[in-house]
């Protein structure tokens, strides 16, 4: 594969299409990915259901990757982060024996609410196949000369996030598939934490969207609402969501405490990758952002005196 080949030029031609064309391509690609995942789940017998799900998840990711190569746009993968989890969790709930429990219903409802909000936020900002996330553009431009872009796209842009999200979902498996422990205080805490996370993300995104759409704020740094206390409240909400899912898993099966690796990896991803990349970009565009970084913490709000 080479970005200089004929397939890449065809992809660039498609990328010039309209926004509806872009969403149509993504929809068809994700339907194909879902069918491929279903075929894997139906064909593989014997391993633990988690392994079957893992294989199906990887195959679906490869299908999405193939579509992204065909249209020369790695951002085709972006909604996978939020589209795959509710499908996986719904499949686990439907495959569990017995009637749907309160815990299963709560987990599924919260995952769907999180997924709908996050997917809608992506859809509202994506301008079509001509629009590729700036982080992918930077990765392509700064990659080592002999390392092909398709390999970086496959491993770093698509497979790595799939693995991270699957790690987060490990705690959801016992929450929806392990029966025997009744609803308890830890479940209530999980509902509060996860629900608050969705509200934080939704509020942060709404405040940012409103701020950036106001011409009077052009070139300014958002420092109001949740953004007054955290430079990345949307990331804080995302991290909190996965900790809430882990609480559900521990409430259902304490022996699965080790799935804490999932939310821990989420923390590491945002703290050491996402936050630095966003801060670096903001610094390059707005020198005043350095002072903003000194006043406002990256994720967790500092004492009230820190804000303005």
């Amino acid at each position: 594969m080479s970005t200089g080949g004929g397939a890449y030029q065809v992809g660039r031609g498609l990328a010039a299409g309209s926004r509806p064309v872009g969403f149509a391509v993504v929809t068809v690609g994700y339907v194909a990915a879902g069918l491929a995942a279903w075929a894997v789940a139906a064909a593989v017998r014997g391993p633990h259901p988690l392994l079957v799900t893992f294989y199906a998840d990887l195959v679906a990711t490869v299908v999405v990757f193939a579509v992204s190569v065909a249209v020369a746009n790695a951002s085709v993968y972006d909604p996978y982060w939020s589209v795959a989890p509710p499908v996986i969790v719904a499949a686990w709930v439907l495959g569990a024996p017995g009637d749907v429990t309160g815990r299963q219903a709560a987990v599924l409802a919260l995952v769907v609410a999180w997924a709908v909000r996050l997917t809608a936020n992506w859809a509202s900002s994506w301008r079509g196949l001509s629009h590729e996330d700036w982080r992918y553009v930077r990765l392509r431009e700064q990659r080592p000369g002999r390392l092909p872009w398709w390999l970086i796209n496959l491993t770093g842009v698509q497979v790595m996030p799939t693995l991270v999200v699957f790690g987060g979902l490990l705690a959801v498996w016992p929450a929806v598939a392990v029966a025997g422990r009744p609803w308890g205080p830890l479940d209530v805490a999980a509902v509060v934490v996860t629900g608050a996370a969705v509200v934080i993300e939704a509020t942060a995104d709404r405040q940012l969207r409103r701020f950036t759409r106001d011409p009077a704020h052009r070139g300014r740094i958002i420092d109001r609402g949740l953004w007054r206390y955290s430079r990345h409240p949307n990331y804080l909400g995302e991290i909190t969501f996965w900790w809430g899912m882990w609480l559900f898993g521990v409430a259902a099966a304490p022996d699965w405490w080790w799935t804490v690796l999932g939310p821990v990896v989420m923390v590491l991803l945002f703290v050491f990758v996402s936050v630095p990349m966003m801060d670096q970009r903001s610094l390059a565009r707005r020198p005043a952002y350095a002072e903003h970084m000194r006043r406002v913490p990256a994720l967790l709000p500092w004492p009230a005196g820190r804000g303005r």
Side-chain angles (χ1 to χ4, degrees), residues 155-200:
T155 58
V157 174
Q158 310 207 24
V159 171
M160 187 274 288
T162 291
L163 296 178
V164 170
V165 171
F166 190 82
L169 288 173
L170 286 177
V172 181
W173 166 258
V176 299
V178 177
R181 292 183 67 87
W183 183 277
L186 200 54
D187 292 287
V188 175
V191 170
V192 171
V193 170
T194 310
V198 175
V199 171
I200 289 171

mmCIF file of all heavy atoms in Angstrom, residues 155-200:
data_model
loop_
_atom_site.group_PDB
_atom_site.id
_atom_site.type_symbol
_atom_site.label_atom_id
_atom_site.label_comp_id
_atom_site.label_asym_id
_atom_site.label_seq_id
_atom_site.Cartn_x
_atom_site.Cartn_y
_atom_site.Cartn_z
ATOM 1 N N THR A 155 -2.301 0.642 12.759
ATOM 2 C CA THR A 155 -1.904 0.324 14.132
ATOM 3 C C THR A 155 -2.168 1.452 15.114
ATOM 4 O O THR A 155 -2.749 1.235 16.186
ATOM 5 C CB THR A 155 -0.407 -0.039 14.173
ATOM 6 O OG1 THR A 155 0.362 1.065 13.652
ATOM 7 C CG2 THR A 155 -0.129 -1.281 13.335
ATOM 8 N N GLY A 156 -1.751 2.675 14.757
ATOM 9 C CA GLY A 156 -1.842 3.774 15.708
ATOM 10 C C GLY A 156 -3.177 4.476 15.735
ATOM 11 O O GLY A 156 -3.674 4.849 16.799
ATOM 12 N N VAL A 157 -3.797 4.647 14.567
ATOM 13 C CA VAL A 157 -5.047 5.399 14.490
ATOM 14 C C VAL A 157 -6.251 4.503 14.753
ATOM 15 O O VAL A 157 -7.240 4.949 15.344
ATOM 16 C CB VAL A 157 -5.172 6.079 13.108
ATOM 17 C CG1 VAL A 157 -6.533 6.747 12.945
ATOM 18 C CG2 VAL A 157 -4.057 7.098 12.926
ATOM 19 N N GLN A 158 -6.183 3.227 14.358
ATOM 20 C CA GLN A 158 -7.386 2.399 14.415
ATOM 21 C C GLN A 158 -7.283 1.220 15.390
ATOM 22 O O GLN A 158 -8.114 1.087 16.286
ATOM 23 C CB GLN A 158 -7.721 1.918 12.997
ATOM 24 C CG GLN A 158 -7.735 3.082 12.012
ATOM 25 C CD GLN A 158 -8.628 2.897 10.819
ATOM 26 O OE1 GLN A 158 -9.582 2.133 10.841
ATOM 27 N NE2 GLN A 158 -8.333 3.602 9.748
ATOM 28 N N VAL A 159 -6.302 0.369 15.256
ATOM 29 C CA VAL A 159 -6.247 -0.796 16.142
ATOM 30 C C VAL A 159 -5.983 -0.388 17.590
ATOM 31 O O VAL A 159 -6.610 -0.927 18.522
ATOM 32 C CB VAL A 159 -5.166 -1.795 15.658
ATOM 33 C CG1 VAL A 159 -4.960 -2.901 16.701
ATOM 34 C CG2 VAL A 159 -5.584 -2.416 14.329
ATOM 35 N N MET A 160 -5.089 0.567 17.815
ATOM 36 C CA MET A 160 -4.774 0.961 19.187
ATOM 37 C C MET A 160 -6.004 1.463 19.939
ATOM 38 O O MET A 160 -6.288 1.000 21.052
ATOM 39 C CB MET A 160 -3.658 2.005 19.194
ATOM 40 C CG MET A 160 -3.123 2.357 20.589
ATOM 41 S SD MET A 160 -4.083 3.643 21.419
ATOM 42 C CE MET A 160 -3.607 5.080 20.453
ATOM 43 N N PRO A 161 -6.796 2.406 19.383
ATOM 44 C CA PRO A 161 -8.003 2.814 20.093
ATOM 45 C C PRO A 161 -9.000 1.675 20.295
ATOM 46 O O PRO A 161 -9.682 1.616 21.323
ATOM 47 C CB PRO A 161 -8.589 3.904 19.195
ATOM 48 C CG PRO A 161 -7.435 4.420 18.420
ATOM 49 C CD PRO A 161 -6.558 3.233 18.188
ATOM 50 N N THR A 162 -9.087 0.767 19.332
ATOM 51 C CA THR A 162 -9.979 -0.387 19.499
ATOM 52 C C THR A 162 -9.552 -1.205 20.709
ATOM 53 O O THR A 162 -10.398 -1.653 21.512
ATOM 54 C CB THR A 162 -9.970 -1.260 18.232
ATOM 55 O OG1 THR A 162 -10.612 -0.560 17.168
ATOM 56 C CG2 THR A 162 -10.698 -2.583 18.471
ATOM 57 N N LEU A 163 -8.251 -1.424 20.868
ATOM 58 C CA LEU A 163 -7.746 -2.175 22.014
ATOM 59 C C LEU A 163 -8.016 -1.430 23.318
ATOM 60 O O LEU A 163 -8.375 -2.044 24.337
ATOM 61 C CB LEU A 163 -6.243 -2.429 21.856
ATOM 62 C CG LEU A 163 -5.827 -3.304 20.676
ATOM 63 C CD1 LEU A 163 -4.299 -3.430 20.628
ATOM 64 C CD2 LEU A 163 -6.458 -4.686 20.773
ATOM 65 N N VAL A 164 -7.846 -0.115 23.313
ATOM 66 C CA VAL A 164 -8.080 0.679 24.520
ATOM 67 C C VAL A 164 -9.546 0.595 24.939
ATOM 68 O O VAL A 164 -9.870 0.377 26.113
ATOM 69 C CB VAL A 164 -7.660 2.142 24.292
ATOM 70 C CG1 VAL A 164 -8.120 3.023 25.450
ATOM 71 C CG2 VAL A 164 -6.151 2.242 24.135
ATOM 72 N N VAL A 165 -10.450 0.763 23.982
ATOM 73 C CA VAL A 165 -11.875 0.707 24.299
ATOM 74 C C VAL A 165 -12.270 -0.697 24.738
ATOM 75 O O VAL A 165 -13.066 -0.862 25.672
ATOM 76 C CB VAL A 165 -12.717 1.151 23.084
ATOM 77 C CG1 VAL A 165 -14.194 0.887 23.331
ATOM 78 C CG2 VAL A 165 -12.495 2.632 22.812
ATOM 79 N N PHE A 166 -11.723 -1.715 24.096
ATOM 80 C CA PHE A 166 -12.046 -3.077 24.514
ATOM 81 C C PHE A 166 -11.567 -3.313 25.944
ATOM 82 O O PHE A 166 -12.232 -3.985 26.728
ATOM 83 C CB PHE A 166 -11.407 -4.104 23.575
ATOM 84 C CG PHE A 166 -11.909 -5.506 23.816
ATOM 85 C CD1 PHE A 166 -13.109 -5.925 23.271
ATOM 86 C CD2 PHE A 166 -11.189 -6.400 24.591
ATOM 87 C CE1 PHE A 166 -13.594 -7.204 23.500
ATOM 88 C CE2 PHE A 166 -11.655 -7.680 24.832
ATOM 89 C CZ PHE A 166 -12.863 -8.086 24.276
ATOM 90 N N GLY A 167 -10.400 -2.743 26.290
ATOM 91 C CA GLY A 167 -9.929 -2.838 27.667
ATOM 92 C C GLY A 167 -10.911 -2.209 28.643
ATOM 93 O O GLY A 167 -11.161 -2.736 29.732
ATOM 94 N N GLY A 168 -11.486 -1.060 28.253
ATOM 95 C CA GLY A 168 -12.486 -0.430 29.095
ATOM 96 C C GLY A 168 -13.743 -1.271 29.217
ATOM 97 O O GLY A 168 -14.394 -1.289 30.273
ATOM 98 N N LEU A 169 -14.093 -1.983 28.144
ATOM 99 C CA LEU A 169 -15.305 -2.809 28.149
ATOM 100 C C LEU A 169 -15.144 -4.106 28.942
ATOM 101 O O LEU A 169 -16.150 -4.767 29.230
ATOM 102 C CB LEU A 169 -15.718 -3.136 26.715
ATOM 103 C CG LEU A 169 -16.305 -1.988 25.894
ATOM 104 C CD1 LEU A 169 -16.510 -2.417 24.455
ATOM 105 C CD2 LEU A 169 -17.625 -1.521 26.488
ATOM 106 N N LEU A 170 -13.918 -4.478 29.272
ATOM 107 C CA LEU A 170 -13.719 -5.705 30.043
ATOM 108 C C LEU A 170 -14.511 -5.676 31.348
ATOM 109 O O LEU A 170 -15.045 -6.695 31.786
ATOM 110 C CB LEU A 170 -12.230 -5.911 30.347
ATOM 111 C CG LEU A 170 -11.347 -6.373 29.187
ATOM 112 C CD1 LEU A 170 -9.891 -6.457 29.640
ATOM 113 C CD2 LEU A 170 -11.821 -7.731 28.653
ATOM 114 N N ALA A 171 -14.592 -4.501 31.976
ATOM 115 C CA ALA A 171 -15.331 -4.393 33.228
ATOM 116 C C ALA A 171 -16.833 -4.480 33.011
ATOM 117 O O ALA A 171 -17.586 -4.800 33.945
ATOM 118 C CB ALA A 171 -14.981 -3.075 33.920
ATOM 119 N N VAL A 172 -17.289 -4.201 31.791
ATOM 120 C CA VAL A 172 -18.717 -4.257 31.505
ATOM 121 C C VAL A 172 -19.183 -5.699 31.381
ATOM 122 O O VAL A 172 -20.349 -6.015 31.688
ATOM 123 C CB VAL A 172 -19.039 -3.462 30.224
ATOM 124 C CG1 VAL A 172 -20.531 -3.495 29.922
ATOM 125 C CG2 VAL A 172 -18.567 -2.021 30.365
ATOM 126 N N TRP A 173 -18.296 -6.567 30.950
ATOM 127 C CA TRP A 173 -18.678 -7.979 30.786
ATOM 128 C C TRP A 173 -19.251 -8.571 32.070
ATOM 129 O O TRP A 173 -20.377 -9.100 32.044
ATOM 130 C CB TRP A 173 -17.490 -8.798 30.277
ATOM 131 C CG TRP A 173 -17.717 -10.283 30.411
ATOM 132 C CD1 TRP A 173 -17.210 -11.108 31.374
ATOM 133 C CD2 TRP A 173 -18.524 -11.106 29.580
ATOM 134 N NE1 TRP A 173 -17.654 -12.390 31.192
ATOM 135 C CE2 TRP A 173 -18.468 -12.425 30.097
ATOM 136 C CE3 TRP A 173 -19.300 -10.865 28.451
ATOM 137 C CZ2 TRP A 173 -19.146 -13.477 29.518
ATOM 138 C CZ3 TRP A 173 -19.984 -11.920 27.874
ATOM 139 C CH2 TRP A 173 -19.900 -13.208 28.405
ATOM 140 N N PRO A 174 -18.551 -8.534 33.207
ATOM 141 C CA PRO A 174 -19.161 -9.096 34.414
ATOM 142 C C PRO A 174 -20.425 -8.345 34.833
ATOM 143 O O PRO A 174 -21.335 -8.945 35.419
ATOM 144 C CB PRO A 174 -18.062 -8.955 35.473
ATOM 145 C CG PRO A 174 -17.164 -7.889 34.968
ATOM 146 C CD PRO A 174 -17.195 -8.036 33.471
ATOM 147 N N ALA A 175 -20.501 -7.057 34.526
ATOM 148 C CA ALA A 175 -21.679 -6.278 34.913
ATOM 149 C C ALA A 175 -22.938 -6.770 34.216
ATOM 150 O O ALA A 175 -24.040 -6.697 34.786
ATOM 151 C CB ALA A 175 -21.460 -4.804 34.606
ATOM 152 N N VAL A 176 -22.803 -7.289 32.987
ATOM 153 C CA VAL A 176 -23.988 -7.717 32.243
ATOM 154 C C VAL A 176 -24.072 -9.230 32.059
ATOM 155 O O VAL A 176 -25.114 -9.738 31.644
ATOM 156 C CB VAL A 176 -24.031 -7.035 30.853
ATOM 157 C CG1 VAL A 176 -24.101 -5.529 31.007
ATOM 158 C CG2 VAL A 176 -22.837 -7.444 30.002
ATOM 159 N N ALA A 177 -23.003 -9.962 32.372
ATOM 160 C CA ALA A 177 -23.003 -11.408 32.102
ATOM 161 C C ALA A 177 -22.875 -12.270 33.338
ATOM 162 O O ALA A 177 -23.152 -13.471 33.288
ATOM 163 C CB ALA A 177 -21.863 -11.750 31.133
ATOM 164 N N VAL A 178 -22.440 -11.696 34.471
ATOM 165 C CA VAL A 178 -22.271 -12.468 35.699
ATOM 166 C C VAL A 178 -23.464 -12.200 36.601
ATOM 167 O O VAL A 178 -23.711 -11.067 37.014
ATOM 168 C CB VAL A 178 -20.968 -12.092 36.431
ATOM 169 C CG1 VAL A 178 -20.859 -12.856 37.741
ATOM 170 C CG2 VAL A 178 -19.771 -12.386 35.536
ATOM 171 N N ALA A 179 -24.213 -13.256 36.890
ATOM 172 C CA ALA A 179 -25.414 -13.127 37.715
ATOM 173 C C ALA A 179 -25.123 -13.571 39.150
ATOM 174 O O ALA A 179 -24.119 -14.214 39.422
ATOM 175 C CB ALA A 179 -26.549 -13.962 37.117
ATOM 176 N N GLY A 180 -26.023 -13.211 40.058
ATOM 177 C CA GLY A 180 -25.897 -13.713 41.430
ATOM 178 C C GLY A 180 -25.832 -12.632 42.481
ATOM 179 O O GLY A 180 -26.331 -12.807 43.592
ATOM 180 N N ARG A 181 -25.224 -11.505 42.173
ATOM 181 C CA ARG A 181 -25.120 -10.431 43.169
ATOM 182 C C ARG A 181 -26.227 -9.414 42.927
ATOM 183 O O ARG A 181 -26.349 -8.867 41.830
ATOM 184 C CB ARG A 181 -23.752 -9.749 43.095
ATOM 185 C CG ARG A 181 -22.603 -10.647 43.543
ATOM 186 C CD ARG A 181 -21.284 -9.883 43.502
ATOM 187 N NE ARG A 181 -21.235 -8.812 44.487
ATOM 188 C CZ ARG A 181 -20.834 -8.965 45.747
ATOM 189 N NH1 ARG A 181 -20.457 -10.170 46.178
ATOM 190 N NH2 ARG A 181 -20.808 -7.934 46.565
ATOM 191 N N PRO A 182 -27.039 -9.137 43.945
ATOM 192 C CA PRO A 182 -28.140 -8.185 43.769
ATOM 193 C C PRO A 182 -27.640 -6.751 43.647
ATOM 194 O O PRO A 182 -26.495 -6.440 43.938
ATOM 195 C CB PRO A 182 -28.950 -8.365 45.064
ATOM 196 C CG PRO A 182 -27.931 -8.805 46.085
ATOM 197 C CD PRO A 182 -26.962 -9.672 45.324
ATOM 198 N N TRP A 183 -28.549 -5.907 43.231
ATOM 199 C CA TRP A 183 -28.272 -4.478 43.130
ATOM 200 C C TRP A 183 -27.906 -3.942 44.505
ATOM 201 O O TRP A 183 -28.551 -4.257 45.498
ATOM 202 C CB TRP A 183 -29.513 -3.776 42.603
ATOM 203 C CG TRP A 183 -29.366 -2.297 42.385
ATOM 204 C CD1 TRP A 183 -29.498 -1.329 43.321
ATOM 205 C CD2 TRP A 183 -29.064 -1.640 41.155
ATOM 206 N NE1 TRP A 183 -29.308 -0.085 42.760
ATOM 207 C CE2 TRP A 183 -29.040 -0.246 41.426
ATOM 208 C CE3 TRP A 183 -28.820 -2.078 39.850
ATOM 209 C CZ2 TRP A 183 -28.782 0.700 40.435
ATOM 210 C CZ3 TRP A 183 -28.572 -1.141 38.878
ATOM 211 C CH2 TRP A 183 -28.551 0.228 39.157
ATOM 212 N N GLY A 184 -26.839 -3.136 44.565
ATOM 213 C CA GLY A 184 -26.386 -2.640 45.853
ATOM 214 C C GLY A 184 -25.874 -1.220 45.784
ATOM 215 O O GLY A 184 -25.954 -0.557 44.734
ATOM 216 N N PRO A 185 -25.305 -0.736 46.893
ATOM 217 C CA PRO A 185 -24.808 0.654 46.945
ATOM 218 C C PRO A 185 -23.756 0.963 45.884
ATOM 219 O O PRO A 185 -23.699 2.088 45.378
ATOM 220 C CB PRO A 185 -24.208 0.763 48.360
ATOM 221 C CG PRO A 185 -24.923 -0.287 49.153
ATOM 222 C CD PRO A 185 -25.185 -1.405 48.191
ATOM 223 N N LEU A 186 -22.913 -0.029 45.532
ATOM 224 C CA LEU A 186 -21.888 0.216 44.525
ATOM 225 C C LEU A 186 -22.510 0.452 43.151
ATOM 226 O O LEU A 186 -21.982 1.229 42.344
ATOM 227 C CB LEU A 186 -20.909 -0.963 44.479
ATOM 228 C CG LEU A 186 -19.536 -0.681 43.846
ATOM 229 C CD1 LEU A 186 -18.863 0.505 44.512
ATOM 230 C CD2 LEU A 186 -18.643 -1.922 43.959
ATOM 231 N N ASP A 187 -23.647 -0.214 42.897
ATOM 232 C CA ASP A 187 -24.358 0.041 41.643
ATOM 233 C C ASP A 187 -24.887 1.465 41.609
ATOM 234 O O ASP A 187 -24.842 2.130 40.564
ATOM 235 C CB ASP A 187 -25.518 -0.945 41.489
ATOM 236 C CG ASP A 187 -25.050 -2.369 41.266
ATOM 237 O OD1 ASP A 187 -24.569 -2.671 40.159
ATOM 238 O OD2 ASP A 187 -25.156 -3.179 42.199
ATOM 239 N N VAL A 188 -25.406 1.926 42.746
ATOM 240 C CA VAL A 188 -25.903 3.303 42.810
ATOM 241 C C VAL A 188 -24.762 4.279 42.541
ATOM 242 O O VAL A 188 -24.913 5.248 41.784
ATOM 243 C CB VAL A 188 -26.537 3.585 44.192
ATOM 244 C CG1 VAL A 188 -26.948 5.054 44.295
ATOM 245 C CG2 VAL A 188 -27.739 2.676 44.423
ATOM 246 N N ALA A 189 -23.604 4.017 43.155
ATOM 247 C CA ALA A 189 -22.441 4.867 42.925
ATOM 248 C C ALA A 189 -22.043 4.845 41.451
ATOM 249 O O ALA A 189 -21.677 5.888 40.877
ATOM 250 C CB ALA A 189 -21.271 4.408 43.791
ATOM 251 N N ALA A 190 -22.118 3.667 40.836
ATOM 252 C CA ALA A 190 -21.758 3.541 39.418
ATOM 253 C C ALA A 190 -22.704 4.362 38.543
ATOM 254 O O ALA A 190 -22.268 5.020 37.585
ATOM 255 C CB ALA A 190 -21.789 2.078 39.002
ATOM 256 N N VAL A 191 -23.997 4.332 38.855
ATOM 257 C CA VAL A 191 -24.969 5.123 38.096
ATOM 258 C C VAL A 191 -24.667 6.612 38.228
ATOM 259 O O VAL A 191 -24.678 7.363 37.238
ATOM 260 C CB VAL A 191 -26.400 4.824 38.564
ATOM 261 C CG1 VAL A 191 -27.379 5.819 37.950
ATOM 262 C CG2 VAL A 191 -26.802 3.405 38.199
ATOM 263 N N VAL A 192 -24.372 7.047 39.457
ATOM 264 C CA VAL A 192 -24.090 8.463 39.700
ATOM 265 C C VAL A 192 -22.833 8.897 38.950
ATOM 266 O O VAL A 192 -22.814 9.931 38.266
ATOM 267 C CB VAL A 192 -23.943 8.737 41.212
ATOM 268 C CG1 VAL A 192 -23.440 10.156 41.448
ATOM 269 C CG2 VAL A 192 -25.266 8.512 41.926
ATOM 270 N N VAL A 193 -21.761 8.100 39.064
ATOM 271 C CA VAL A 193 -20.492 8.449 38.427
ATOM 272 C C VAL A 193 -20.629 8.464 36.903
ATOM 273 O O VAL A 193 -20.204 9.424 36.231
ATOM 274 C CB VAL A 193 -19.384 7.462 38.853
ATOM 275 C CG1 VAL A 193 -18.123 7.667 38.014
ATOM 276 C CG2 VAL A 193 -19.064 7.641 40.332
ATOM 277 N N THR A 194 -21.243 7.414 36.364
ATOM 278 C CA THR A 194 -21.358 7.320 34.907
ATOM 279 C C THR A 194 -22.311 8.375 34.357
ATOM 280 O O THR A 194 -22.033 9.000 33.327
ATOM 281 C CB THR A 194 -21.839 5.919 34.499
ATOM 282 O OG1 THR A 194 -21.027 4.931 35.143
ATOM 283 C CG2 THR A 194 -21.742 5.726 32.999
ATOM 284 N N GLY A 195 -23.435 8.566 35.035
ATOM 285 C CA GLY A 195 -24.377 9.597 34.597
ATOM 286 C C GLY A 195 -23.753 10.979 34.646
ATOM 287 O O GLY A 195 -23.933 11.791 33.724
ATOM 288 N N ALA A 196 -23.006 11.257 35.720
ATOM 289 C CA ALA A 196 -22.330 12.552 35.831
ATOM 290 C C ALA A 196 -21.315 12.725 34.712
ATOM 291 O O ALA A 196 -21.148 13.832 34.174
ATOM 292 C CB ALA A 196 -21.640 12.662 37.192
ATOM 293 N N ALA A 197 -20.633 11.652 34.344
ATOM 294 C CA ALA A 197 -19.638 11.719 33.266
ATOM 295 C C ALA A 197 -20.287 12.122 31.948
ATOM 296 O O ALA A 197 -19.756 12.973 31.212
ATOM 297 C CB ALA A 197 -18.945 10.368 33.118
ATOM 298 N N VAL A 198 -21.431 11.519 31.634
ATOM 299 C CA VAL A 198 -22.128 11.865 30.392
ATOM 300 C C VAL A 198 -22.572 13.326 30.412
ATOM 301 O O VAL A 198 -22.453 14.045 29.411
ATOM 302 C CB VAL A 198 -23.342 10.921 30.191
ATOM 303 C CG1 VAL A 198 -24.141 11.350 28.959
ATOM 304 C CG2 VAL A 198 -22.877 9.475 30.031
ATOM 305 N N VAL A 199 -23.056 13.779 31.560
ATOM 306 C CA VAL A 199 -23.494 15.175 31.686
ATOM 307 C C VAL A 199 -22.307 16.129 31.538
ATOM 308 O O VAL A 199 -22.405 17.166 30.867
ATOM 309 C CB VAL A 199 -24.196 15.397 33.041
ATOM 310 C CG1 VAL A 199 -24.456 16.887 33.269
ATOM 311 C CG2 VAL A 199 -25.500 14.622 33.099
ATOM 312 N N ILE A 200 -21.178 15.772 32.146
ATOM 313 C CA ILE A 200 -19.977 16.616 32.035
ATOM 314 C C ILE A 200 -19.547 16.746 30.584
ATOM 315 O O ILE A 200 -19.258 17.847 30.088
ATOM 316 C CB ILE A 200 -18.834 16.045 32.889
ATOM 317 C CG1 ILE A 200 -19.128 16.220 34.379
ATOM 318 C CG2 ILE A 200 -17.501 16.709 32.535
ATOM 319 C CD1 ILE A 200 -18.150 15.492 35.287
#
